[in-house]
Amino acid sequence: MRPILFWRIMAKTEIASLGEFGLIKELTKDIKPVQPSTLKGVGDDCAVMNFGNDSKVLMTTDMLLEGIHFNLEYVPLKHLGYKAAVVNFSDIYAMNGTPTQITVSLGISKRFSVEDIEALYAGVRLACERYGVDIVGGDTCASMTGLTISITCLGVAKEKDIVYRNGAKLNDLICVSGNLGTAYMGLQLLERERLANAEQPDFAGKEYLLERQLKPEARRDILEALRKAGVKPTAMMDVSDGLSSELMHICSQSGVGCCIYEDKLPIDFEAAALAEEMNLNIVTCALNGGEDYELLFTCSLDDYEKLIPIEDLYIIGHITKAEYGCNLIGRNGEEIALKAQGWNAFNE
Amino acid sequence: MRPILFWRIMAKTEIASLGEFGLIKELTKDIKPVQPSTLKGVGDDCAVMNFGNDSKVLMTTDMLLEGIHFNLEYVPLKHLGYKAAVVNFSDIYAMNGTPTQITVSLGISKRFSVEDIEALYAGVRLACERYGVDIVGGDTCASMTGLTISITCLGVAKEKDIVYRNGAKLNDLICVSGNLGTAYMGLQLLERERLANAEQPDFAGKEYLLERQLKPEARRDILEALRKAGVKPTAMMDVSDGLSSELMHICSQSGVGCCIYEDKLPIDFEAAALAEEMNLNIVTCALNGGEDYELLFTCSLDDYEKLIPIEDLYIIGHITKAEYGCNLIGRNGEEIALKAQGWNAFNE
């Protein structure tokens, strides 16, 4: 690459040395909002804007790149479109908001046909229909290589309802919906069958794992249940990078530590069986697998009684002082420091 | 590509057979907004949302892909970041709004260093600073190949101020700011010097052409001048694909025709000289070049006197009945039908 206008800066720091979170931190440091309408900028699941009344506007965006986020050898395009939309809705729900509009930008290489893109878009539209969200715009352009999907989602929430990452308090309960590590095991299964290259892949009895990987849902049902029960979380995120990574975000932003229990982690039976079969540690998968799109939140100890009757919701630990750090208590009582292994594509 | 879950649909229609606009039309047909907050969805420079008060929220998005929209052999990363932000602001201004927030998503391959991405981001931040816009979020991920930039911009406008594409009326004046075809000539110049591969590229006296291509500005100054003069356009767009293409959008959405005059088209002297030198027709470049990011609008004939004193604004024709079609009157009085040649990357 020979720049003919200006020489590029000579210093060369590899992005892998910072990682995704390090790079984002570097790029967004010292950003100071100037618009009075910006309530919250970079640093949570969504940005929050105030355009002049009680309902605040939430905004989030996700980019999916072929070969990094998905492999079209086993991801059907309609599922991909569905997932690309739902992961954005999940970020809006993670602020206790309601998704309302999306824009959909596609970069498409020549190997895709109109029917391919229609299948992809049908998935986006199906997700929008199910979650009551409008497609209001986008950009469609040719790409030199592969498929790129970039979706931005708007949502609304009353100011008093918004839940940020930074509100966890000492002794708060830590809760998570659904189960963890299942989407990751679905991915392992798809990869195994791809490599086996058999005439007929073996998915018998494991359909749920595939569904969790290929067609995740956003947990608005959990928010509805919490609202009915009269519980407002003190901090919340969705689990996209992995439980450890997300918990560490909540703790560092709230200035607290946490303690979670291995035997409380919700783990799906099929996922555990496949992990056993594939010689993987299901707890590690649950902590670091990512892509579960479950809701992780903290709430006051006073809400304990209200939480118990809520289906598919699990209390996995509690918030501690910051000095304690972020720890997992193993089945034998041993204390293991959590690591934000997460999902760092720059290191792969 | 061997799908292991579902066979892909067998019909294969090449995307080039529909083109970008045809594909978008196909994908977005029958989309019916369900959210009461959606005032205007797909089909204009921006979507328009009503979140409950007098100020409406505008939303637009643009995706830039390496090898399609830019060539890093001659586009400095800082300029690229600046341009990627400004083209979004331009869409907000094209609705007579004010840009307020953006999200910035980047797909980055291994050949980029932290310093490269910092340079890119510095350009985005500079544009934001100059236009008073906040960066409120984004997504940063690894890419298998090349650089992908996807920016989504929010803006605000009072409902009574918003200008859509569909408001042009019979006998309205057609106006355009700045000059046309200049950014395209800047691109031709860069390409020529790239191919010449000389030790020292020859840009002497042509810096303005480069600036128009590499570092365009959005014309908020024109909107301010119109506001001061008490003129509200009846229809408006920014010129990103080319004058012909944009005029045909305004006419088809407004149900009118148009007549513009070759000798009224604002053409920069340097651009004309280079076109002569390169044996290109500068009028064709002005009609179809694209990337000028000037404002194209129609307004009532009654505003004629108010328009005249506004600097850098040109009246190039008028709106006719739909039956007349969209025509250019040549210097010798000949009538030439406009074609939306635009910029169709799927055909290249």
Side-chain angles (χ1 to χ4, degrees), chain B residues 180-182 184-185 188 239 241-245 262 265 267 275 279-290 292 328 331 336 338-343:
Chain B
L180 298 172
T182 320
Y184 181 79
M185 287 316 301
Q188 297 312 307
V239 181
D241 290 326
L243 179 67
S244 287
S245 170
E262 182 181 341
L265 296 179
I267 287 172
N279 213 11
L280 291 167
N281 182 338
I282 188 66
V283 174
T284 307
C285 299
L287 290 173
N288 299 312
D292 289 312
L328 174 79
R331 284 182 196 277
I336 308 150
L338 293 178
K339 274 185 242 170
Q341 194 170 322
W343 187 79

PDB file of all heavy atoms in Angstrom, chain B residues 180-182 184-185 188 239 241-245 262 265 267 275 279-290 292 328 331 336 338-343:
ATOM      1  N   LEU B 180     -20.960  20.789  -9.353  1.00  0.00           N
ATOM      2  CA  LEU B 180     -21.228  19.368  -9.575  1.00  0.00           C
ATOM      3  C   LEU B 180     -20.152  18.718 -10.442  1.00  0.00           C
ATOM      4  O   LEU B 180     -19.623  19.345 -11.354  1.00  0.00           O
ATOM      5  CB  LEU B 180     -22.590  19.199 -10.260  1.00  0.00           C
ATOM      6  CG  LEU B 180     -23.796  19.707  -9.465  1.00  0.00           C
ATOM      7  CD1 LEU B 180     -25.055  19.665 -10.321  1.00  0.00           C
ATOM      8  CD2 LEU B 180     -23.985  18.881  -8.190  1.00  0.00           C
ATOM      9  N   GLY B 181     -19.851  17.475 -10.147  1.00  0.00           N
ATOM     10  CA  GLY B 181     -18.869  16.742 -10.951  1.00  0.00           C
ATOM     11  C   GLY B 181     -17.443  16.914 -10.452  1.00  0.00           C
ATOM     12  O   GLY B 181     -16.528  16.253 -10.947  1.00  0.00           O
ATOM     13  N   THR B 182     -17.267  17.775  -9.463  1.00  0.00           N
ATOM     14  CA  THR B 182     -15.913  18.090  -9.004  1.00  0.00           C
ATOM     15  C   THR B 182     -15.308  16.921  -8.220  1.00  0.00           C
ATOM     16  O   THR B 182     -14.135  16.573  -8.418  1.00  0.00           O
ATOM     17  CB  THR B 182     -15.935  19.370  -8.148  1.00  0.00           C
ATOM     18  OG1 THR B 182     -16.843  20.297  -8.749  1.00  0.00           O
ATOM     19  CG2 THR B 182     -14.555  19.989  -8.063  1.00  0.00           C
ATOM     20  N   TYR B 184     -16.035  13.874  -8.561  1.00  0.00           N
ATOM     21  CA  TYR B 184     -15.759  12.827  -9.543  1.00  0.00           C
ATOM     22  C   TYR B 184     -14.449  13.097 -10.275  1.00  0.00           C
ATOM     23  O   TYR B 184     -13.643  12.188 -10.490  1.00  0.00           O
ATOM     24  CB  TYR B 184     -16.925  12.746 -10.533  1.00  0.00           C
ATOM     25  CG  TYR B 184     -16.763  11.672 -11.580  1.00  0.00           C
ATOM     26  CD1 TYR B 184     -17.028  10.339 -11.270  1.00  0.00           C
ATOM     27  CD2 TYR B 184     -16.341  11.979 -12.871  1.00  0.00           C
ATOM     28  CE1 TYR B 184     -16.886   9.350 -12.224  1.00  0.00           C
ATOM     29  CE2 TYR B 184     -16.190  10.995 -13.835  1.00  0.00           C
ATOM     30  CZ  TYR B 184     -16.462   9.682 -13.508  1.00  0.00           C
ATOM     31  OH  TYR B 184     -16.317   8.699 -14.445  1.00  0.00           O
ATOM     32  N   MET B 185     -14.209  14.357 -10.623  1.00  0.00           N
ATOM     33  CA  MET B 185     -12.948  14.689 -11.298  1.00  0.00           C
ATOM     34  C   MET B 185     -11.766  14.501 -10.346  1.00  0.00           C
ATOM     35  O   MET B 185     -10.681  14.105 -10.773  1.00  0.00           O
ATOM     36  CB  MET B 185     -12.986  16.120 -11.860  1.00  0.00           C
ATOM     37  CG  MET B 185     -13.877  16.300 -13.094  1.00  0.00           C
ATOM     38  SD  MET B 185     -13.721  15.003 -14.372  1.00  0.00           S
ATOM     39  CE  MET B 185     -11.976  15.126 -14.774  1.00  0.00           C
ATOM     40  N   GLN B 188     -10.978  10.916 -10.592  1.00  0.00           N
ATOM     41  CA  GLN B 188     -10.292  10.611 -11.852  1.00  0.00           C
ATOM     42  C   GLN B 188      -8.815  10.982 -11.768  1.00  0.00           C
ATOM     43  O   GLN B 188      -7.939  10.263 -12.251  1.00  0.00           O
ATOM     44  CB  GLN B 188     -10.939  11.370 -13.033  1.00  0.00           C
ATOM     45  CG  GLN B 188     -12.392  10.992 -13.297  1.00  0.00           C
ATOM     46  CD  GLN B 188     -12.604   9.495 -13.346  1.00  0.00           C
ATOM     47  OE1 GLN B 188     -11.933   8.785 -14.087  1.00  0.00           O
ATOM     48  NE2 GLN B 188     -13.509   8.996 -12.513  1.00  0.00           N
ATOM     49  N   VAL B 239     -26.755  15.361  -3.029  1.00  0.00           N
ATOM     50  CA  VAL B 239     -26.277  14.743  -4.269  1.00  0.00           C
ATOM     51  C   VAL B 239     -25.170  13.757  -3.917  1.00  0.00           C
ATOM     52  O   VAL B 239     -24.011  14.133  -3.768  1.00  0.00           O
ATOM     53  CB  VAL B 239     -25.773  15.799  -5.278  1.00  0.00           C
ATOM     54  CG1 VAL B 239     -25.317  15.121  -6.563  1.00  0.00           C
ATOM     55  CG2 VAL B 239     -26.873  16.813  -5.571  1.00  0.00           C
ATOM     56  N   ASP B 241     -25.384  10.195  -5.336  1.00  0.00           N
ATOM     57  CA  ASP B 241     -25.250   9.297  -6.492  1.00  0.00           C
ATOM     58  C   ASP B 241     -25.052  10.046  -7.810  1.00  0.00           C
ATOM     59  O   ASP B 241     -24.597   9.461  -8.791  1.00  0.00           O
ATOM     60  CB  ASP B 241     -26.494   8.406  -6.631  1.00  0.00           C
ATOM     61  CG  ASP B 241     -26.588   7.370  -5.517  1.00  0.00           C
ATOM     62  OD1 ASP B 241     -25.531   6.891  -5.080  1.00  0.00           O
ATOM     63  OD2 ASP B 241     -27.709   7.061  -5.096  1.00  0.00           O
ATOM     64  N   GLY B 242     -25.415  11.303  -7.845  1.00  0.00           N
ATOM     65  CA  GLY B 242     -25.326  12.087  -9.076  1.00  0.00           C
ATOM     66  C   GLY B 242     -26.619  12.866  -9.288  1.00  0.00           C
ATOM     67  O   GLY B 242     -27.698  12.408  -8.927  1.00  0.00           O
ATOM     68  N   LEU B 243     -26.509  14.028  -9.904  1.00  0.00           N
ATOM     69  CA  LEU B 243     -27.656  14.927 -10.070  1.00  0.00           C
ATOM     70  C   LEU B 243     -28.829  14.250 -10.778  1.00  0.00           C
ATOM     71  O   LEU B 243     -29.977  14.344 -10.334  1.00  0.00           O
ATOM     72  CB  LEU B 243     -27.218  16.173 -10.858  1.00  0.00           C
ATOM     73  CG  LEU B 243     -28.319  17.197 -11.135  1.00  0.00           C
ATOM     74  CD1 LEU B 243     -28.798  17.850  -9.847  1.00  0.00           C
ATOM     75  CD2 LEU B 243     -27.835  18.266 -12.126  1.00  0.00           C
ATOM     76  N   SER B 244     -28.563  13.557 -11.885  1.00  0.00           N
ATOM     77  CA  SER B 244     -29.644  12.927 -12.661  1.00  0.00           C
ATOM     78  C   SER B 244     -30.433  11.970 -11.791  1.00  0.00           C
ATOM     79  O   SER B 244     -31.668  12.015 -11.737  1.00  0.00           O
ATOM     80  CB  SER B 244     -29.076  12.100 -13.817  1.00  0.00           C
ATOM     81  OG  SER B 244     -28.595  12.935 -14.811  1.00  0.00           O
ATOM     82  N   SER B 245     -29.701  11.083 -11.144  1.00  0.00           N
ATOM     83  CA  SER B 245     -30.324  10.077 -10.300  1.00  0.00           C
ATOM     84  C   SER B 245     -31.168  10.727  -9.209  1.00  0.00           C
ATOM     85  O   SER B 245     -32.310  10.333  -8.964  1.00  0.00           O
ATOM     86  CB  SER B 245     -29.211   9.206  -9.726  1.00  0.00           C
ATOM     87  OG  SER B 245     -29.692   8.361  -8.740  1.00  0.00           O
ATOM     88  N   GLU B 262     -28.439  22.934 -19.335  1.00  0.00           N
ATOM     89  CA  GLU B 262     -27.008  22.655 -19.339  1.00  0.00           C
ATOM     90  C   GLU B 262     -26.198  23.883 -18.950  1.00  0.00           C
ATOM     91  O   GLU B 262     -25.278  23.799 -18.139  1.00  0.00           O
ATOM     92  CB  GLU B 262     -26.570  22.167 -20.732  1.00  0.00           C
ATOM     93  CG  GLU B 262     -25.098  21.818 -20.791  1.00  0.00           C
ATOM     94  CD  GLU B 262     -24.630  21.355 -22.177  1.00  0.00           C
ATOM     95  OE1 GLU B 262     -25.476  20.967 -23.004  1.00  0.00           O
ATOM     96  OE2 GLU B 262     -23.406  21.390 -22.412  1.00  0.00           O
ATOM     97  N   LEU B 265     -25.852  24.633 -15.131  1.00  0.00           N
ATOM     98  CA  LEU B 265     -25.205  23.707 -14.193  1.00  0.00           C
ATOM     99  C   LEU B 265     -23.932  24.337 -13.632  1.00  0.00           C
ATOM    100  O   LEU B 265     -23.076  24.789 -14.397  1.00  0.00           O
ATOM    101  CB  LEU B 265     -24.849  22.383 -14.889  1.00  0.00           C
ATOM    102  CG  LEU B 265     -26.014  21.538 -15.396  1.00  0.00           C
ATOM    103  CD1 LEU B 265     -25.493  20.272 -16.092  1.00  0.00           C
ATOM    104  CD2 LEU B 265     -26.961  21.171 -14.256  1.00  0.00           C
ATOM    105  N   ILE B 267     -20.397  24.498 -12.628  1.00  0.00           N
ATOM    106  CA  ILE B 267     -19.232  23.654 -12.888  1.00  0.00           C
ATOM    107  C   ILE B 267     -17.966  24.406 -12.505  1.00  0.00           C
ATOM    108  O   ILE B 267     -17.802  25.572 -12.844  1.00  0.00           O
ATOM    109  CB  ILE B 267     -19.222  23.211 -14.366  1.00  0.00           C
ATOM    110  CG1 ILE B 267     -20.333  22.162 -14.542  1.00  0.00           C
ATOM    111  CG2 ILE B 267     -17.859  22.639 -14.773  1.00  0.00           C
ATOM    112  CD1 ILE B 267     -20.605  21.738 -15.934  1.00  0.00           C
ATOM    113  N   ALA B 275     -11.214  17.821 -17.049  1.00  0.00           N
ATOM    114  CA  ALA B 275     -12.061  16.987 -17.904  1.00  0.00           C
ATOM    115  C   ALA B 275     -11.599  17.130 -19.359  1.00  0.00           C
ATOM    116  O   ALA B 275     -11.459  16.131 -20.079  1.00  0.00           O
ATOM    117  CB  ALA B 275     -13.529  17.385 -17.753  1.00  0.00           C
ATOM    118  N   ASN B 279     -10.107  14.251 -21.671  1.00  0.00           N
ATOM    119  CA  ASN B 279     -11.048  13.885 -22.722  1.00  0.00           C
ATOM    120  C   ASN B 279     -12.366  13.325 -22.169  1.00  0.00           C
ATOM    121  O   ASN B 279     -12.920  12.360 -22.699  1.00  0.00           O
ATOM    122  CB  ASN B 279     -10.379  12.859 -23.661  1.00  0.00           C
ATOM    123  CG  ASN B 279     -10.864  13.029 -25.081  1.00  0.00           C
ATOM    124  OD1 ASN B 279     -11.537  14.020 -25.401  1.00  0.00           O
ATOM    125  ND2 ASN B 279     -10.550  12.064 -25.929  1.00  0.00           N
ATOM    126  N   LEU B 280     -12.826  13.948 -21.077  1.00  0.00           N
ATOM    127  CA  LEU B 280     -14.124  13.570 -20.500  1.00  0.00           C
ATOM    128  C   LEU B 280     -15.113  14.704 -20.737  1.00  0.00           C
ATOM    129  O   LEU B 280     -14.725  15.872 -20.831  1.00  0.00           O
ATOM    130  CB  LEU B 280     -13.984  13.345 -18.990  1.00  0.00           C
ATOM    131  CG  LEU B 280     -13.187  12.117 -18.554  1.00  0.00           C
ATOM    132  CD1 LEU B 280     -12.855  12.199 -17.063  1.00  0.00           C
ATOM    133  CD2 LEU B 280     -13.979  10.845 -18.853  1.00  0.00           C
ATOM    134  N   ASN B 281     -16.399  14.371 -20.805  1.00  0.00           N
ATOM    135  CA  ASN B 281     -17.426  15.389 -20.944  1.00  0.00           C
ATOM    136  C   ASN B 281     -17.831  15.868 -19.553  1.00  0.00           C
ATOM    137  O   ASN B 281     -18.426  15.126 -18.775  1.00  0.00           O
ATOM    138  CB  ASN B 281     -18.620  14.783 -21.691  1.00  0.00           C
ATOM    139  CG  ASN B 281     -19.724  15.809 -21.911  1.00  0.00           C
ATOM    140  OD1 ASN B 281     -19.814  16.809 -21.200  1.00  0.00           O
ATOM    141  ND2 ASN B 281     -20.547  15.554 -22.918  1.00  0.00           N
ATOM    142  N   ILE B 282     -17.514  17.109 -19.237  1.00  0.00           N
ATOM    143  CA  ILE B 282     -17.744  17.602 -17.873  1.00  0.00           C
ATOM    144  C   ILE B 282     -19.237  17.645 -17.529  1.00  0.00           C
ATOM    145  O   ILE B 282     -19.621  17.486 -16.366  1.00  0.00           O
ATOM    146  CB  ILE B 282     -17.063  18.984 -17.641  1.00  0.00           C
ATOM    147  CG1 ILE B 282     -17.143  19.407 -16.157  1.00  0.00           C
ATOM    148  CG2 ILE B 282     -17.685  20.061 -18.523  1.00  0.00           C
ATOM    149  CD1 ILE B 282     -16.369  18.556 -15.205  1.00  0.00           C
ATOM    150  N   VAL B 283     -20.101  17.828 -18.536  1.00  0.00           N
ATOM    151  CA  VAL B 283     -21.547  17.840 -18.263  1.00  0.00           C
ATOM    152  C   VAL B 283     -22.010  16.453 -17.820  1.00  0.00           C
ATOM    153  O   VAL B 283     -22.781  16.316 -16.863  1.00  0.00           O
ATOM    154  CB  VAL B 283     -22.351  18.351 -19.483  1.00  0.00           C
ATOM    155  CG1 VAL B 283     -23.847  18.225 -19.227  1.00  0.00           C
ATOM    156  CG2 VAL B 283     -21.987  19.796 -19.774  1.00  0.00           C
ATOM    157  N   THR B 284     -21.509  15.431 -18.486  1.00  0.00           N
ATOM    158  CA  THR B 284     -21.829  14.059 -18.068  1.00  0.00           C
ATOM    159  C   THR B 284     -21.331  13.814 -16.641  1.00  0.00           C
ATOM    160  O   THR B 284     -22.036  13.209 -15.819  1.00  0.00           O
ATOM    161  CB  THR B 284     -21.165  13.041 -19.026  1.00  0.00           C
ATOM    162  OG1 THR B 284     -21.539  13.377 -20.358  1.00  0.00           O
ATOM    163  CG2 THR B 284     -21.609  11.627 -18.714  1.00  0.00           C
ATOM    164  N   CYS B 285     -20.132  14.298 -16.350  1.00  0.00           N
ATOM    165  CA  CYS B 285     -19.590  14.158 -14.992  1.00  0.00           C
ATOM    166  C   CYS B 285     -20.478  14.880 -13.982  1.00  0.00           C
ATOM    167  O   CYS B 285     -20.741  14.374 -12.891  1.00  0.00           O
ATOM    168  CB  CYS B 285     -18.173  14.727 -14.903  1.00  0.00           C
ATOM    169  SG  CYS B 285     -17.007  13.891 -15.987  1.00  0.00           S
ATOM    170  N   ALA B 286     -20.937  16.073 -14.337  1.00  0.00           N
ATOM    171  CA  ALA B 286     -21.783  16.850 -13.422  1.00  0.00           C
ATOM    172  C   ALA B 286     -23.122  16.150 -13.201  1.00  0.00           C
ATOM    173  O   ALA B 286     -23.679  16.166 -12.101  1.00  0.00           O
ATOM    174  CB  ALA B 286     -21.999  18.256 -13.970  1.00  0.00           C
ATOM    175  N   LEU B 287     -23.648  15.515 -14.240  1.00  0.00           N
ATOM    176  CA  LEU B 287     -24.955  14.847 -14.131  1.00  0.00           C
ATOM    177  C   LEU B 287     -24.865  13.523 -13.380  1.00  0.00           C
ATOM    178  O   LEU B 287     -25.782  13.142 -12.662  1.00  0.00           O
ATOM    179  CB  LEU B 287     -25.538  14.582 -15.529  1.00  0.00           C
ATOM    180  CG  LEU B 287     -25.994  15.808 -16.320  1.00  0.00           C
ATOM    181  CD1 LEU B 287     -26.371  15.391 -17.739  1.00  0.00           C
ATOM    182  CD2 LEU B 287     -27.178  16.488 -15.624  1.00  0.00           C
ATOM    183  N   ASN B 288     -23.764  12.797 -13.585  1.00  0.00           N
ATOM    184  CA  ASN B 288     -23.713  11.418 -13.089  1.00  0.00           C
ATOM    185  C   ASN B 288     -22.557  11.108 -12.149  1.00  0.00           C
ATOM    186  O   ASN B 288     -22.417   9.969 -11.704  1.00  0.00           O
ATOM    187  CB  ASN B 288     -23.635  10.447 -14.274  1.00  0.00           C
ATOM    188  CG  ASN B 288     -24.845  10.569 -15.167  1.00  0.00           C
ATOM    189  OD1 ASN B 288     -25.973  10.581 -14.682  1.00  0.00           O
ATOM    190  ND2 ASN B 288     -24.621  10.697 -16.461  1.00  0.00           N
ATOM    191  N   GLY B 289     -21.714  12.103 -11.870  1.00  0.00           N
ATOM    192  CA  GLY B 289     -20.488  11.816 -11.123  1.00  0.00           C
ATOM    193  C   GLY B 289     -20.713  11.347  -9.697  1.00  0.00           C
ATOM    194  O   GLY B 289     -20.108  10.404  -9.226  1.00  0.00           O
ATOM    195  N   GLY B 290     -21.596  12.011  -9.008  1.00  0.00           N
ATOM    196  CA  GLY B 290     -21.868  11.624  -7.620  1.00  0.00           C
ATOM    197  C   GLY B 290     -20.822  12.098  -6.634  1.00  0.00           C
ATOM    198  O   GLY B 290     -19.799  12.689  -7.013  1.00  0.00           O
ATOM    199  N   ASP B 292     -20.847  14.529  -4.632  1.00  0.00           N
ATOM    200  CA  ASP B 292     -20.650  15.968  -4.437  1.00  0.00           C
ATOM    201  C   ASP B 292     -21.132  16.429  -3.062  1.00  0.00           C
ATOM    202  O   ASP B 292     -20.637  17.410  -2.529  1.00  0.00           O
ATOM    203  CB  ASP B 292     -21.386  16.746  -5.535  1.00  0.00           C
ATOM    204  CG  ASP B 292     -20.705  16.587  -6.895  1.00  0.00           C
ATOM    205  OD1 ASP B 292     -19.470  16.753  -6.954  1.00  0.00           O
ATOM    206  OD2 ASP B 292     -21.404  16.288  -7.875  1.00  0.00           O
ATOM    207  N   LEU B 328     -32.907  17.443 -19.848  1.00  0.00           N
ATOM    208  CA  LEU B 328     -31.861  18.467 -19.856  1.00  0.00           C
ATOM    209  C   LEU B 328     -31.980  19.228 -21.174  1.00  0.00           C
ATOM    210  O   LEU B 328     -32.077  18.610 -22.245  1.00  0.00           O
ATOM    211  CB  LEU B 328     -30.487  17.785 -19.787  1.00  0.00           C
ATOM    212  CG  LEU B 328     -29.268  18.707 -19.940  1.00  0.00           C
ATOM    213  CD1 LEU B 328     -28.981  19.436 -18.637  1.00  0.00           C
ATOM    214  CD2 LEU B 328     -28.027  17.903 -20.366  1.00  0.00           C
ATOM    215  N   ARG B 331     -27.059  23.235 -24.663  1.00  0.00           N
ATOM    216  CA  ARG B 331     -26.668  24.608 -25.017  1.00  0.00           C
ATOM    217  C   ARG B 331     -27.286  25.059 -26.340  1.00  0.00           C
ATOM    218  O   ARG B 331     -27.496  26.246 -26.579  1.00  0.00           O
ATOM    219  CB  ARG B 331     -25.142  24.711 -25.111  1.00  0.00           C
ATOM    220  CG  ARG B 331     -24.511  24.756 -23.748  1.00  0.00           C
ATOM    221  CD  ARG B 331     -22.994  24.903 -23.818  1.00  0.00           C
ATOM    222  NE  ARG B 331     -22.422  24.559 -22.508  1.00  0.00           N
ATOM    223  CZ  ARG B 331     -22.347  25.403 -21.488  1.00  0.00           C
ATOM    224  NH1 ARG B 331     -22.795  26.626 -21.600  1.00  0.00           N
ATOM    225  NH2 ARG B 331     -21.823  25.011 -20.344  1.00  0.00           N
ATOM    226  N   ILE B 336     -32.637  16.512 -23.946  1.00  0.00           N
ATOM    227  CA  ILE B 336     -32.061  15.181 -23.727  1.00  0.00           C
ATOM    228  C   ILE B 336     -32.676  14.586 -22.459  1.00  0.00           C
ATOM    229  O   ILE B 336     -32.654  15.219 -21.398  1.00  0.00           O
ATOM    230  CB  ILE B 336     -30.522  15.284 -23.547  1.00  0.00           C
ATOM    231  CG1 ILE B 336     -29.903  16.072 -24.708  1.00  0.00           C
ATOM    232  CG2 ILE B 336     -29.896  13.894 -23.412  1.00  0.00           C
ATOM    233  CD1 ILE B 336     -28.657  16.834 -24.317  1.00  0.00           C
ATOM    234  N   LEU B 338     -32.953  12.680 -19.114  1.00  0.00           N
ATOM    235  CA  LEU B 338     -31.985  12.305 -18.079  1.00  0.00           C
ATOM    236  C   LEU B 338     -32.045  10.805 -17.837  1.00  0.00           C
ATOM    237  O   LEU B 338     -33.110  10.193 -17.907  1.00  0.00           O
ATOM    238  CB  LEU B 338     -32.293  13.031 -16.767  1.00  0.00           C
ATOM    239  CG  LEU B 338     -32.117  14.543 -16.760  1.00  0.00           C
ATOM    240  CD1 LEU B 338     -32.504  15.104 -15.390  1.00  0.00           C
ATOM    241  CD2 LEU B 338     -30.671  14.924 -17.087  1.00  0.00           C
ATOM    242  N   LYS B 339     -30.873  10.237 -17.557  1.00  0.00           N
ATOM    243  CA  LYS B 339     -30.821   8.824 -17.188  1.00  0.00           C
ATOM    244  C   LYS B 339     -30.211   8.701 -15.804  1.00  0.00           C
ATOM    245  O   LYS B 339     -29.249   9.387 -15.492  1.00  0.00           O
ATOM    246  CB  LYS B 339     -29.943   8.054 -18.190  1.00  0.00           C
ATOM    247  CG  LYS B 339     -30.707   7.584 -19.408  1.00  0.00           C
ATOM    248  CD  LYS B 339     -29.820   6.726 -20.292  1.00  0.00           C
ATOM    249  CE  LYS B 339     -29.662   7.397 -21.639  1.00  0.00           C
ATOM    250  NZ  LYS B 339     -28.658   6.794 -22.497  1.00  0.00           N
ATOM    251  N   ALA B 340     -30.787   7.818 -14.985  1.00  0.00           N
ATOM    252  CA  ALA B 340     -30.240   7.636 -13.635  1.00  0.00           C
ATOM    253  C   ALA B 340     -29.070   6.680 -13.712  1.00  0.00           C
ATOM    254  O   ALA B 340     -29.125   5.562 -13.225  1.00  0.00           O
ATOM    255  CB  ALA B 340     -31.301   7.118 -12.688  1.00  0.00           C
ATOM    256  N   GLN B 341     -28.005   7.138 -14.344  1.00  0.00           N
ATOM    257  CA  GLN B 341     -26.832   6.296 -14.489  1.00  0.00           C
ATOM    258  C   GLN B 341     -26.247   6.030 -13.104  1.00  0.00           C
ATOM    259  O   GLN B 341     -25.957   4.912 -12.740  1.00  0.00           O
ATOM    260  CB  GLN B 341     -25.827   7.018 -15.381  1.00  0.00           C
ATOM    261  CG  GLN B 341     -24.724   6.133 -15.883  1.00  0.00           C
ATOM    262  CD  GLN B 341     -23.931   6.886 -16.947  1.00  0.00           C
ATOM    263  OE1 GLN B 341     -24.480   7.629 -17.764  1.00  0.00           O
ATOM    264  NE2 GLN B 341     -22.625   6.713 -16.923  1.00  0.00           N
ATOM    265  N   GLY B 342     -26.168   7.132 -12.360  1.00  0.00           N
ATOM    266  CA  GLY B 342     -25.743   7.064 -10.956  1.00  0.00           C
ATOM    267  C   GLY B 342     -24.493   6.245 -10.787  1.00  0.00           C
ATOM    268  O   GLY B 342     -23.606   6.233 -11.644  1.00  0.00           O
ATOM    269  N   TRP B 343     -24.478   5.514  -9.714  1.00  0.00           N
ATOM    270  CA  TRP B 343     -23.255   4.838  -9.347  1.00  0.00           C
ATOM    271  C   TRP B 343     -23.673   3.454  -8.937  1.00  0.00           C
ATOM    272  O   TRP B 343     -24.076   3.227  -7.809  1.00  0.00           O
ATOM    273  CB  TRP B 343     -22.628   5.623  -8.183  1.00  0.00           C
ATOM    274  CG  TRP B 343     -21.302   5.127  -7.829  1.00  0.00           C
ATOM    275  CD1 TRP B 343     -20.129   5.375  -8.470  1.00  0.00           C
ATOM    276  CD2 TRP B 343     -20.992   4.253  -6.752  1.00  0.00           C
ATOM    277  NE1 TRP B 343     -19.121   4.709  -7.861  1.00  0.00           N
ATOM    278  CE2 TRP B 343     -19.612   4.017  -6.812  1.00  0.00           C
ATOM    279  CE3 TRP B 343     -21.727   3.637  -5.751  1.00  0.00           C
ATOM    280  CZ2 TRP B 343     -18.966   3.197  -5.900  1.00  0.00           C
ATOM    281  CZ3 TRP B 343     -21.090   2.827  -4.849  1.00  0.00           C
ATOM    282  CH2 TRP B 343     -19.712   2.616  -4.931  1.00  0.00           C
TER     283      TRP B 343
END
